[in-house]
Structure formats: C-alpha cells, structure tokens
C-alpha cells in the first residue's frame, strides 16, 4: 500500500478516472436506494388458517389447532409455533430460523397440513397456508366520502375500484377496508310460518343453494357446430327470487315469499371507522417486504391523486402516514451528516490553518460516501435509521485518514522546506502502514457484528455493511487521491517549526508517566475496573422510545360487548383525546377489517369488542410535550373509561412496554398465575395499564342434547347445531347461496328475523328435522347458561398468556428486573414457565450477541495488527487502549441519564476501533523511529508523541464535532441517535486523553517482556 500512493501521484489521470467512475456509480446507487424506517427483517413466517363456522375456541383447539401444531413441529428450522384461536377461526403461525428458504418452508407446511386433512372435521373450510408477505403495519390510511353513494355502494367502490387502482402501483401487498358494509340478500324467516309449513331454516338455505345457481350441463352438436349446454336457475331479480318454490314434506311446495321477507340489505356490521366525531369508510395500504416505504407511499399517493381526478364525485383524504416521521428522520440524519462534515472540516482548518489542506481533506468525505451508496444498492440495502446512523457515525472517521495524510505532508513541508510533490511522496510512504492498519482495525471491529444472531444481527448487518464499506473507501481516498491532490495543489512552505503550543506541556507530563510507568499501568487498570462498576449501574434498554408524532391506542371491551358498545367507548375516548391541544386528529378502526381487492367479504364472526385508534399529534415544534409525555399524561383519563381496557403502543412501534409471557399445559394453573402476576404488576410503580391477554370468559348459551330421545328420533348433535346456527347467524360464509349481479355475486343469507333471534322461547320452538318429520328444539335439547374462553393463545404447543404494561419512567432493562423480582415470578407454580417475549427478548439477544461480536472483533483486530506489524506483543499494547474508552462513555451516559441501548452499544463498538486507531498511530511511529532512526526506546516514544499527538487530537476533535449535532438531539428521531453520539463523545474524551499517556507506558512494559522472552527462549534454543 506504500507504493500505491507514489503510483497515484505519478499517474494522476487513471486515479482521477477511477474516482469519477466510483462517484458516478455512487450517484446512481443513491438515487435508487430505498428509504425505510428500519432494515427489512425478513423472518420466514408461514400462517395456517382454518375456519369452522360457529365453532368455539375450546373445540377448535382440540379438533384443529393441536393437530396442525403437531404436524409442523417436526419440520426443520422451526423456531416458534404460535396459535391464536377465536370463535370460528384457528390461526397458527410457524416462525422459521433466519436464512430458511421460505418457498420450501411453505411447501413443507402445506404438505404437513395436507397429511392431517382426513383427521380434521369435515365441515371446515379448506386450510389456508400462506407466507407473510407484508411488513405488518400500514404505511398509509385514507378515508373516502361520496354523498351520492349508499354505504354499501361506497364500500364496494373501495373494495373494487379503489383497490384495483392502488394495487396496480406495485409493491403494495394488500389493502384493508375499515368501516362500511357488505351487500347481501337477506331472507328474514318467520318462525311461525316455518312451523306451519314444516320446514327448517337449514332446509330453506340448502334448497336455495341448489336451485338458485347456473350450472354447466354438457355440450352437443347441432348441425355443423358444437354448442355448450347451460342450466340457468339463478334468479335475475328479487321478485323472481321471492317467487322461487321450495319443496315441502308430503309433496307440497311453498313460495319463498310465504316464509318471510326477502330484501336487498347489508350484512350485519362487524366493523366501523371514525375520523374524530364522524363515521367514515377508510382503507389502509400495506407494502410488501423488501420494498421502499417512502417510494411505495409516493407511488400510492400518485395513484390516489390520479384516481381522484377521474372520480370527482368521490373525496379521498389521507389521515395517517408512517412515512412522515421516516422522511423527517431521513432529513434530520442528512442534516446532521452535513453539519458534522462541516464541523470536521472546520477542525482541520483550525489545526492546520491552511485553506488548501482543509479543502483537500473535505473532498475525502463525499468521495468515501458516494461509492458506499453504490455498494449498498448492489447488496440490496436501504437508507434507514440504522444505515444513516452508521454513516453519520463515521463522518469524523472518513476524514481521519485524510487528516493523518495531510498533516504528515504539511509537517514535512514545514519542517524540511521541500516542495509539495516531494513531501507528498516521502510523507505518504512514511505514514502508509499506520493508515492501512488503522482502517483495517475499524473494519475488523465492525465486521463480526454483521453476523450476530436473531433480529439484532439483521439490524447490525445493514450497519456493518454501511460502516465497513465507507471506511474502506476512505482508505482508498487517503492512499491515492489525498496524496495526489497534495502533490499538485499544496503550496510550498519555508522550513519552520511546526509544533502545537500544548505539545511541550504534554511531553513533560508524558516523561513523568514513563518514569512512573507501573503506577500509570496500575491507574489504567483501576480506571477500567471503575468503568465496569459504573456500567452495571446504567439502565438498559433495547431501542429508546422515539417521538414519531403519532400514537397508537388499543381499546378492548369485555367479551360479549356489541359493536355499539365498542363504538360508544371509542367516541368517549376520542372526546378525551381531541380536548388536548397536542392532538391534530384521531382515526379509529373498530372490529375486523376487510381485505379489499380479494372479494372475500368480511367475516361474520369478527371481534367487535376491539378498536385501534391512531392519534396524530401536532408537529414537534407546536407542542410542549413529547409523544411519551403526552401518552403518560392522557393515560389516566382514558383508564377511566367504564368497562374498557386502554393501552398505548398497539402498533408495536409507539410507546414503551414490557411483556411477560407464561406457558403451561395446565390451563387453570396458568390462569391463576397470570391473574396473580397481573395484580402484582398493577401495584408496581413504573408499570401502567397492566393487563393480560389471558382468555376472558364470554357468556354463552349451551345446547345440551337429550341423548336417548335424540337417538330415537334420528337427530344428531350436528343437526341440532346446524339448525340453530343457520337460524341465528345464517350459513357459513363459504356455503351461502349466491345472487348474481352484473359485476359480482352477493350472498343470500337465510336466518330468522331480528325479533325472533332475540327471543329465547322462539329459539326453543325451532323445528329440527327427524327421520319422520320435524320436532321442536326443546324436545331434543335443553338450553343452559354458561361461559367459555373468548380467545385461546398457544406458544410452542402449550397454552400461553401474555401480561403487558406500559412503562412510565423506567427502561426495558429496569422493567425486566422489576418483573423478575415479583413474588409470583420468583416462585412460579410447577408446570408454568416464563418465555422471553417482546423487547425483553430482543434485548437479551442483543446483549448476548454483542458480547460475542465484540470479543470476535477484538480477536480479529489482534490478528490484523499482528500481521501488519509482524509481531504479537506490541499489538497487545495497542489493544490496551480499548478499555480506556469505556470509562468516558459510561461516565457521560451516567451524567446525561442515557440508557445502555442498541444505539449506545453501536457507539461503544465504534470506540473500540477509534481507540485502536489512535494507538496504532503512536506505536507504529515509535517502532519505526527505533528501527529506522536508531533511537532508544524513550527517545522514540517521545518523538512519536511529539509527531503523532496532533493528528490524534485532530481526528478526535473532528470525530467529536461530527457527533455533536446528534448528541444535542437536533431533529427528528433524536432519541435514537443521541445515545450513540453521547457514548462516542464520552469515550473519545477518555480514550484520547488516556491513550496518549497510558499506551507509551504499556509499550515499555511490553518491550521489556519482549526482551525477556527473546533472552529466555533464545538461550533455551542455544542449549538445545
């Protein structure tokens, strides 16, 4: 690498062409990079959904869910199996290890489920096996308004027209409608007429399904042509349908209209949407994995604008967006990057007072970053909080190599009086090894973190790519372009002393520490021990909660609550929220949303007791409270909502919370333990709105057949259930008869009228078919009041429940410690185990993986330095500077109240490379001075300190200046970046100050050890 600088100086045209190509590729790559909030973490996940109309969760668990879980448990690379069982639906999620081929995993799961299909109930809808294709959270939400349309027409307009337009944008995985209704033909049966005519509701539905249909009937040849045959039985209008004749017992018939009213109506609403105090119809847009959040949002907005221009009668308004804070964070990161770069350049000028040298060093930054963007594009990376954090972090480092080169060249020019060309050739060769060693030391530290396991590993992979690539290109710039520009652009200087004013005082203090070297070494050890003690006192966290300007609020009512009950609670919550000056608007989605564009309609059994509220806050500059402060202040009032559980952080992004997941095969013991833990968490300061997902009992009516009498009459349990199910809610959605419209089919739902469905005596009088006719339901079954679980959660084939609580004034690590100290957790009942979950699980993976990664990085760093120095002992001297950086980092974090979180760990990781970088500059020159200039050890160390102290301080100040905007928390998402910057600045202060003193002392100790080793082993070899 020494000769490459001389080659670049002597051959300027190829060098300039090389950097022009790299810059051009960088510009192209930057323009094509996706912009996201965080790196895409593509965990291979497959879902298996099984639907059985009217089935209770306990029945689905034993008849469906357990069988599905057992069938997939033996597949390779399965990490977690989670199941959620609600009324009529069992959903099992299989999570595979990172790196598993998702296509093969999907096929394996599909084959496993197909193998147990004969063992599943016959009346289930065919199991659906699909992989997760979207990111889980909507990027945009719109509401539509069309006064001239009815609710069902507007709903269909969203499901059909709007969905087609937006899905054509590409990279949109799905659209979900909130609010609105689905059109259907409602046959409201009169139970008295059914009794009089001797026909049941199930028989009416079955006959309509077989009669009101168009069917193919073959083909025949007429003359010379072939023609198909169709049987047209579908009614063309309601009047025709009402005149449809149904077959009764005894050869009689009756018109459908004689059994009740037939009307074109809406399905029973199972969802609703509100924008502030208005009921609206909205839709949410989800992006596919591996796509750019900002790019997809831009494309969707363009499609919506074009669609609105084509349909002026429909008003479309954007109400929520996850991309606004992403763009704010992106702009803030770019701004901090620019400010940091400017400050770093100012530092260079302050030390060198040479405008040409300053301009040359400033070129290093863009020419290091631009090729990095090209490499990131080739590796399918995105610009996100993590990669931008890494780039902002290395702003100072990117000019460090150039600073060292320029400072050395300027020093040669000033001290020797040589012209720029000669000084560049000589100085570049002199500093070459040190620059290469310092760069590869940083790469060696950062490379292992890209291989960390779990979610943290996926995040750090993007970080490692951005940092290592940019640092490598900074080396290329420093070894080729910087010497070239210095050789041709710098002006010659007259020979003069070029020593900073503070160098003599530093050298005097260094001399004292070298005389008392053992005391210096001991003081360094004490400093490290104190650092480790301080680290144990710091609060720990996963990712600091950020102010996104948008809060997500979940409201949950008790089982049995109606949609009207949920709507009333939501309206009260909206009233409380809109009273606050910080609130801009509130969008609420109640019940089960409908997937638009799939034409499946909405489930008739969706959860109507739950709602998600998205609270849009005023811009940060227009409100006094942060998002977290706002949530903490308004939570007590929301908690007063009667009969409702309210919690923030429903989107998994806003708000900080702790999760405690327990699992057991003993459902009763699990329920008692969860209740005990919940009570204790509710009484613990720091936890707010603690509540569990444990199955709440829902009221139910239980039909208990008379076995003997039912058997005598030939009435099965299935017949009783089917009769009552169709009479009260209608046939299962997939089995409903259909009515043909011009552009689609709508279901025909046969059920009793509303008055009859609300009258228990009318239900008991329903006719049940027997072998010889029909009998009243009351003659073959009794009705009892009871209760059953509303929802069952399972984890890794056992029952599970999760207790959640919002955090107030405590970090994730402190919350985990509080939970671990709860009596019920310390003395868990036999058969109940606690599973890592939520941020606590991610934090555990982060810290365990980080310890392994940083240990691997230090070992790799040792090997790299050993190869470059061709020695094993002096590289140990360089590594002794690493612990010195920790004390300053932990100290400044303690002073500023910063928690030890993922961004802070990133900063500490960076400090390892920077501390090694400073030590290499010092040790390399000392070794060179002894071998080339024949100086004794003390003189070599003093000479190295005199000539390397200024570039070390310059690079430190430049790095600190680059971090300053981040540490001050300027701009959006400052909470995430500031902890990293604080740890870096604190570590820089301690590592630079102490390494200039401590490393020379350790150098002398290791040199003595080297001499002793050579004498001992040399004499040993001579004896043999």
């Amino acid at each position: 690498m020494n000769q490459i600088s001389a080659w670049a100086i002597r051959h300027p045209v190829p060098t300039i062409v090389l950097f022009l190509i790299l810059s051009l590729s960088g510009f192209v790559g930057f323009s094509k990079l996706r912009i996201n909030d965080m790196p895409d973490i593509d965990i291979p996940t497959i879902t298996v959904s099984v639907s059985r109309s009217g089935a209770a969760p306990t029945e689905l668990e034993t008849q469906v869910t357990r069988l599905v879980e057992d069938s997939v448990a033996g597949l390779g690379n399965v990490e977690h199996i989670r199941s959620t069982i609600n009324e009529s639906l069992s959903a099992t999620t299989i999570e595979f290890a990172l790196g598993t081929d998702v296509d093969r995993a999907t096929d394996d799961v599909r084959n496993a489920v197909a193998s147990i299909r004969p063992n599943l109930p016959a009346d289930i809808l065919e199991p659906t096996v699909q992989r997760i294709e979207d990111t889980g959270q909507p990027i945009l939400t719109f509401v539509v308004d069309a006064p001239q349309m009815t609710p069902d027409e507007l709903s269909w307009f969203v499901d059909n027209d709007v969905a087609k337009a937006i899905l054509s944008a590409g990279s949109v995985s799905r659209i979900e409608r909130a609010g609105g209704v689905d059109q259907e033909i409602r046959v409201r049966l009169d139970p008295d007429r059914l009794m009089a005519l001797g026909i049941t509701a199930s028989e009416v539905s079955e006959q309509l399904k077989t009669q009101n249909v168009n069917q193919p009937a073959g083909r025949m040849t007429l003359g010379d042509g072939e023609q198909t045959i169709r049987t047209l039985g579908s009614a063309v209008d309601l009047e025709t349908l009402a005149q449809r004749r149904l077959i009764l017992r005894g050869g009689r018939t009756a018109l459908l209209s004689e059994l009740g009213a037939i009307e074109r109506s809406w399905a029973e609403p199972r969802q609703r949407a509100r924008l502030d105090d208005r009921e609206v119809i909205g839709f949410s847009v989800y992006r596919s994995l591996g796509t750019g959040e900002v790019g997809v949002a831009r494309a969707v907005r363009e499609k919506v604008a074009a669609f609105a221009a084509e349909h002026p009668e429909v008003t479309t308004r954007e109400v929520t967006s996850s991309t606004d804070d992403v763009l704010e964070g992106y702009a803030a990161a770019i701004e901090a990057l620019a400010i940091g770069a400017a400050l770093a350049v100012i530092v260079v000028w302050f030390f060198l007072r040479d405008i040409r040298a300053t301009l040359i060093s400033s070129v290093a930054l863009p020419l290091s970053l631009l090729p990095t963007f090209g490499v990131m594009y080739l590796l399918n990376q995105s610009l996100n909080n993590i990669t931008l954090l890494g780039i902002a972090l290395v702003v100072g480092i990117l000019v460090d190599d150039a600073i060292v080169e320029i400072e050395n060249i300027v020093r040669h020019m000033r001290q020797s009086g040589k012209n720029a060309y000669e000084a560049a050739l000589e100085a570049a060769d002199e500093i070459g090894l040190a620059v290469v060693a310092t760069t590869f030391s940083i790469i060696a530290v950062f490379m292992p973190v890209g291989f960390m396991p779990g979610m943290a590993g996926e995040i750090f992979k993007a970080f490692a790519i951005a940092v290592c690539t940019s640092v490598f290109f900074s080396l290329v710039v420093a070894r080729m372009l910087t010497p070239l520009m210095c050789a041709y652009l710098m002006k010659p200087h007259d020979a003069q002393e070029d020593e900073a004013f503070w160098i003599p005082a530093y050298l005097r203090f260094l001399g004292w520490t070298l005389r008392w070297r053992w005391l210096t070494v001991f003081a360094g050890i004490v400093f490290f021990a104190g650092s480790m003690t301080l680290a144990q006192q710091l609060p720990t966290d996963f990712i600091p909660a950020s102010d996104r300007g948008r809060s997500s609020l979940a409201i949950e009512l008790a089982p049995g609550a109606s949609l009207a009950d949920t709507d009333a609670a939501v309206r009260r919550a909206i009233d409380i929220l809109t009273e606050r000056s910080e609130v801009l608007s509130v969008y609420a989605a109640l019940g089960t949303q409908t997937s638009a564009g799939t034409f499946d309609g909405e489930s008739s059994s969706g959860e109507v007791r739950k709602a998600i509220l998205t609270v849009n806050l005023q811009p940060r500059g227009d409100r006094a409270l942060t998002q977290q402060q706002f949530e903490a202040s308004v939570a007590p009032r929301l908690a007063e909502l009667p009969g409702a559980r309210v919690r923030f952080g429903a989107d998994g992004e806003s708000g900080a919370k702790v999760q405690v997941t327990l699992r057991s095969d003993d459902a009763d013991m699990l329920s008692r333990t969860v209740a005990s833990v919940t009570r204790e968490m509710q009484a613990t300061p720091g936890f707010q709105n603690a509540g569990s997902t444990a199955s709440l009992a829902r009221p139910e009516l239980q039909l208990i057949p008379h076995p003997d009498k039912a058997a005598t009459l030939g009435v099965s349990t299935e017949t009783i259930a089917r009769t009552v199910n169709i009479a009260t809610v209608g046939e299962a959605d997939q089995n409903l008869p259909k009515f043909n419209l011009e552009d689609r089919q709508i279901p025909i739902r046969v059920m009793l009228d509303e008055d009859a469905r609300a009258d228990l005596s009318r239900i008991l009088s329903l006719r049940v078919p027997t072998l010889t006719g029909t009998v009243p339901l009351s003659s073959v079954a009794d009705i009892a009041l009871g209760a059953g679980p509303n929802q069952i959660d399972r984890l890794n084939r056992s029952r599970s429940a999760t207790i959640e609580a919002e955090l107030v004034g405590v970090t994730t690590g402190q919350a985990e410690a509080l939970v671990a100290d709860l009596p019920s957790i310390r003395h868990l009942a036999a058969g109940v185990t606690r599973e890592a979950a939520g941020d606590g699980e991610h934090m555990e993976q982060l810290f365990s993986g980080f310890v392994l990664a940083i240990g691997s990085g230090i070992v790799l760093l040792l090997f790299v330095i050993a190869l470059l120095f061709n020695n094993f002992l002096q590289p140990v001297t360089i590594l002794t500077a690493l612990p010195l950086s920790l004390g300053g980092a932990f100290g400044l974090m303690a002073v500023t109240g910063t928690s030890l979180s993922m961004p802070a760990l990133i900063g500490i990781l960076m400090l390892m490379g920077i501390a090694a970088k400073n030590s290499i500059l010092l040790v390399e020159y000392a070794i060179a001075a002894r071998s080339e200039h024949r100086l004794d050890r003390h003189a070599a160390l003093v000479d190295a300190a005199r000539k390397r102290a200024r570039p070390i301080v310059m690079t430190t100040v430049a790095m600190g200046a680059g971090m300053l905007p981040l540490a001050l928390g300027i701009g959006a998402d400052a909470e995430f970046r500031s902890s990293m910057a604080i740890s870096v600045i604190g570590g820089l202060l301690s590592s630079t100050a102490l390494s200039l003193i401590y490393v020379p002392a350790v150098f002398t100790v290791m040199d003595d050890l080297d001499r002793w080793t050579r004498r001992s082993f040399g004499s040993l070899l001579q004896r043999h």
Side-chain angles (χ1 to χ4, degrees):
M1 289 294 287
N2 282 345
Q3 295 302 316
I4 196 171
S5 296
W7 181 91
I9 293 172
R10 295 188 177 100
H11 301 87
V13 174
T15 304
I16 294 172
V17 170
L18 170 64
F19 282 97
L20 287 176
I21 293 173
L22 290 174
S23 300
L24 182 61
S25 65
F27 273 117
V28 174
F30 181 78
S31 66
K32 293 182 176 295
L33 280 173
R34 298 172 286 120
I35 301 176
N36 288 334
D37 181 27
M38 296 288 284
D40 281 331
I41 303 174
D42 189 5
I43 300 176
T45 305
I46 315 297
T47 61
V48 180
S49 301
V50 182
S51 178
R52 188 184 189 193
S53 180
T58 50
E59 297 163 3
L60 283 174
E61 181 185 30
T62 55
Q63 299 175 12
V64 174
T65 308
R66 288 178 180 270
L67 299 179
V68 171
E69 290 176 344
D70 292 342
S71 70
V72 300
L75 299 179
N77 295 329
V78 173
E79 295 220 331
H80 296 295
I81 300 176
R82 295 181 173 89
S83 295
T84 301
I85 313 160
N86 293 295
E87 180 187 352
S88 305
L89 181 65
S90 167
T92 300
T93 301
I94 304 99
E95 184 181 308
F96 290 85
L98 287 167
T100 303
D101 186 340
V102 68
D103 292 322
R104 179 175 179 179
T106 305
D107 291 338
D108 291 343
V109 172
R110 186 176 289 112
N111 294 335
V113 174
S115 68
I116 62 164
R117 180 62 183 89
N119 300 328
L120 300 177
D123 60 341
I124 64 168
L125 190 64
E126 281 303 309
T128 301
V129 179
Q130 59 184 8
R131 63 187 182 191
I132 301 297
E133 296 282 4
D134 57 64
T135 54
Q137 294 296 330
I139 59 172
L140 294 170
T141 301
F142 299 85
V143 296
V144 292
D145 190 21
Q148 71 281 13
M149 292 187 186
T150 61
D152 59 304
E153 290 173 340
L154 185 55
S155 299
W156 172 248
F157 182 79
V158 171
D159 292 346
N160 184 58
D161 299 63
V162 175
K164 285 180 181 177
I166 294 179
L167 289 172
S168 67
S171 301
V172 176
S173 62
R174 62 189 170 102
I175 295 172
E176 284 191 346
R177 170 170 57 84
V181 292
D182 291 317
Q183 192 175 171
E184 69 179 20
I185 304 298
R186 180 69 62 87
V187 179
R188 304 180 188 276
L189 298 176
D190 184 344
D192 296 331
R193 294 297 298 163
L194 292 180
M195 185 182 301
L197 295 173
I199 189 171
T200 67
S202 60
E203 290 171 338
V204 173
S205 182
E206 188 63 35
Q207 288 194 42
L208 284 177
K209 184 178 179 181
T210 57
Q211 293 183 32
N212 194 69
V213 65
N214 296 337
Q215 293 275 19
R219 64 177 180 268
M220 65 178 295
T221 302
L222 288 178
D224 295 333
E226 185 178 87
Q227 297 188 17
T228 59
I229 304 173
R230 293 172 60 210
T231 304
L232 303 179
S234 179
V236 295
D237 51 40
L238 278 182
E239 290 73 16
T240 306
L241 181 64
Q243 298 304 310
R244 177 79 64 189
R245 284 202 168 269
L246 303 179
I247 302 172
L248 307 177
R249 289 176 176 80
R252 297 174 300 142
T253 62
L255 297 177
L256 180 61
S257 59
E258 296 177 8
L259 302 179
I262 299 94
E263 60 186 13
R264 189 165 173 172
S265 182
W266 306 331
E268 181 182 351
R270 307 292 295 177
Q271 59 169 322
R272 192 168 292 168
R274 286 192 172 276
L275 179 61
D276 295 332
D277 59 347
R278 289 193 307 122
E279 185 174 348
V280 296
I281 295 177
F283 64 91
S284 300
V285 182
Y286 295 76
R287 69 177 177 93
S288 304
L289 287 169
T291 59
E293 189 169 343
V294 173
V296 174
R298 185 185 302 114
V300 169
R301 288 184 175 116
E302 291 173 357
K303 288 290 183 180
V304 169
F307 186 80
E310 296 173 0
H311 299 82
E313 73 280 5
V314 178
T315 303
T316 305
R317 174 187 170 188
E318 182 181 321
V319 291
T320 68
S321 169
S322 67
T323 60
D324 291 342
D325 58 280
V326 175
L327 285 172
E328 286 181 12
Y330 171 75
I334 296 297
E335 181 183 1
L337 180 65
I339 295 174
L343 290 174
V345 171
I346 291 172
V347 168
V348 176
W349 178 85
F350 179 79
F351 277 90
L352 296 181
R353 300 300 175 94
D354 188 317
I355 190 64
R356 290 175 179 260
T358 303
L359 292 177
I360 292 172
S361 66
S362 66
V363 171
L365 181 62
L367 292 183
S368 301
L369 287 181
L370 284 174
T372 301
F373 296 137
V375 173
M376 289 173 61
Y377 174 72
L378 292 176
L379 296 179
N380 197 30
Q381 296 297 310
S382 64
L383 286 174
N384 52 65
N385 269 333
I386 299 300
T387 52
L388 287 173
L389 183 69
I391 291 171
L393 186 63
V394 297
V395 164
I397 291 180
L398 296 184
V399 297
D400 276 2
D401 291 338
I403 287 174
V404 172
E405 292 271 7
I406 294 171
E407 192 276 340
N408 204 40
I409 293 171
V410 170
R411 182 172 54 81
H412 272 261
M413 293 173 62
R414 291 176 177 174
Q415 292 182 352
S416 66
K418 295 180 179 178
N419 61 38
Y421 191 93
E422 294 175 349
L425 284 173
E426 180 181 325
D429 287 343
E430 179 186 272
I431 202 71
L433 177 62
V435 172
V436 173
T438 56
T439 299
F440 279 99
S441 68
I442 293 177
I443 293 176
V445 167
F446 276 101
M447 189 180 296
V449 302
F451 300 96
M452 287 171 58
M455 181 183 293
E458 289 296 293
I459 294 175
F460 274 106
K461 178 182 177 182
F463 179 83
I465 289 174
V467 170
C468 292
T469 305
S470 59
V471 169
F472 173 77
F473 281 114
S474 76
L475 171 66
V476 177
V477 171
R479 297 303 297 138
M480 296 184 70
L481 191 62
T482 300
L484 170 64
M485 295 179 69
C486 286
Y488 290 96
L489 298 180
M490 294 286 290
K491 287 185 176 181
H493 293 77
D494 296 331
Q496 56 180 300
E497 286 297 323
D498 183 37
E499 188 172 270
F501 69 91
W502 48 268
I503 292 293
Y506 160 61
L507 293 178
R508 287 194 298 272
F509 187 70
L510 176 63
W512 184 88
T513 58
L514 289 177
R515 286 194 301 272
W516 299 92
R517 57 176 182 162
W518 287 107
L519 180 61
T520 303
V521 171
F522 178 74
I525 296 174
V526 171
F527 182 81
F528 174 69
S531 303
M532 292 298 97
T533 303
L534 182 61
Q536 297 175 2
Q537 309 302 318
L538 290 175
T540 56
D541 207 348
F542 179 54
I543 295 179
S546 299
D547 187 343
R548 299 176 178 271
R550 187 183 68 257
S551 294
S552 185
L553 177 68
I555 295 180
E556 181 179 350
L557 274 66
S562 65
L563 183 63
D565 297 331
T566 307
D567 190 37
V570 166
R571 290 201 306 272
R572 287 193 290 270
I574 290 176
D575 289 341
I576 293 173
L577 291 167
T578 52
E579 289 175 358
R580 299 292 298 253
S581 60
E582 299 88 356
V583 175
L584 194 62
S585 64
V586 181
Y587 173 77
L590 295 71
T592 304
Q593 298 187 42
T594 301
S595 294
T598 62
F599 312 112
D600 291 335
E602 70 181 79
S603 171
S604 61
S605 58
E607 284 271 37
V608 298
R609 65 186 186 92
K610 296 180 180 180
I612 302 294
L613 280 68
T614 302
V615 185
N616 296 310
L617 302 178
Q618 299 281 358
R620 291 175 182 83
D622 297 339
R623 50 185 162 92
L625 301 181
T626 65
Q627 176 186 329
Q628 288 70 38
Q629 291 170 339
F630 163 77
E631 291 174 355
S633 65
V634 79
R637 283 207 61 193
L638 291 172
E640 297 173 359
L641 291 177
R645 181 194 171 198
V646 182
R647 60 183 176 87
F648 283 99
D651 58 355
E653 296 179 352
S654 62
K657 61 184 179 181
V658 65
Q659 294 179 321
V660 183
T661 298
L662 304 177
R663 56 187 288 262
S664 175
D665 291 321
D666 187 337
D668 292 335
M669 180 59 70
L670 177 65
S671 179
R672 290 194 296 270
T673 305
V674 167
S676 177
V677 173
T678 304
R679 286 193 301 270
E680 293 171 2
M681 291 181 66
Q682 290 171 343
T684 302
F687 295 148
Q688 183 173 266
N689 293 334
S692 76
T693 61
S695 180
L696 299 173
R698 60 168 188 171
E700 61 184 21
L701 296 176
Q702 299 174 345
L703 292 174
I704 305 172
H706 302 155
D708 296 337
K709 191 168 185 179
T712 302
L713 295 173
V715 177
S716 66
T717 302
E718 181 180 357
T719 301
I720 295 174
R722 177 175 168 78
T723 298
V724 178
N725 186 64
I726 294 178
T728 54
V729 298
E731 181 67 273
D733 291 351
Q734 67 270 17
N735 296 326
L736 287 171
K738 301 295 190 293
F739 183 84
N740 291 331
L741 300 178
E742 291 183 2
D743 54 353
R744 68 189 191 279
Q745 288 185 323
I746 60 175
I748 302 173
R749 191 174 299 275
V750 177
M751 57 196 301
L752 297 182
D753 59 38
E754 286 80 356
D755 293 338
R757 284 187 283 131
D759 188 342
L760 190 57
S761 63
R762 305 295 287 274
I763 299 297
L764 287 170
S765 65
L766 284 173
R767 308 301 294 184
V768 179
T770 67
L771 295 175
T772 57
T774 63
V775 296
L777 174 63
S778 57
S779 65
V780 292
D782 290 330
I783 290 185
L785 298 176
N790 183 71
Q791 175 179 304
I792 296 175
D793 295 318
R794 294 174 59 83
L795 174 62
N796 297 333
R797 297 194 290 170
S798 295
R799 285 273 188 104
S800 70
T802 299
I803 305 102
E804 289 185 356
E806 299 164 28
L807 304 184
V808 180
V810 295
T811 64
T812 301
Q814 292 169 328
E816 289 291 329
L818 290 173
V819 168
D821 197 45
L822 295 176
S824 297
I825 295 295
R826 285 190 286 109
H827 306 98
L828 278 177
V832 179
T833 58
R834 183 187 176 191
E835 297 286 327
D839 284 351
E841 179 183 14
H842 300 151
M843 190 178 69
E844 181 180 329
Q845 293 176 350
L846 170 67
F847 282 99
S848 61
F850 182 81
V851 170
L852 178 62
I854 201 169
S856 303
I858 291 174
V859 172
L860 188 59
L861 173 62
L862 175 63
F863 293 161
V864 169
I865 300 174
L867 288 173
L868 291 172
F869 282 86
N870 196 29
N871 185 287
F872 272 103
L873 287 178
Q874 289 306 339
V876 174
T877 303
I878 294 170
L879 295 184
T880 57
L882 304 188
L884 301 180
S885 63
L886 299 178
F890 295 149
L892 191 57
M893 289 171 65
V895 170
T896 57
T898 303
S899 61
L900 190 60
S901 58
M902 185 178 72
L905 290 179
I906 291 175
I908 291 172
L909 192 65
M910 177 60 74
L911 288 173
M912 300 293 102
I914 296 171
K917 186 183 181 84
N918 292 338
S919 298
I920 288 171
L921 289 174
L922 200 62
V923 172
E924 185 271 340
Y925 193 91
I927 294 175
R930 295 181 70 184
S931 60
E932 296 176 8
H933 302 294
R934 303 301 178 183
L935 298 178
D936 61 65
R937 185 174 68 188
H938 186 275
L941 284 173
V942 172
D943 191 40
R946 174 182 288 108
K947 294 177 179 178
R948 289 288 191 252
R950 186 171 69 172
I952 288 175
V953 173
M954 283 177 63
T955 57
T956 297
V957 176
M959 183 73 183
M963 290 290 99
L964 192 59
L966 302 181
L968 295 176
I970 299 173
D973 204 21
E975 300 86 356
F976 184 83
R977 298 191 299 269
S978 63
S979 57
M980 178 272 298
I982 288 171
S983 65
V984 169
I985 292 175
L988 282 173
L989 293 175
S990 64
S991 66
T992 302
L994 296 178
S995 61
L996 287 172
I997 302 300
Y998 187 71
V999 170
V1002 176
F1003 182 92
T1004 61
V1005 174
M1006 298 306 298
D1007 186 58
D1008 288 345
L1009 179 62
D1010 183 43
R1011 291 178 180 178
W1012 176 83
T1013 304
R1014 290 177 186 274
R1015 287 197 305 270
S1016 300
F1017 286 96
S1019 60
L1020 181 64
L1021 290 174
Q1022 290 175 0
R1023 286 198 297 270
H1024 289 277

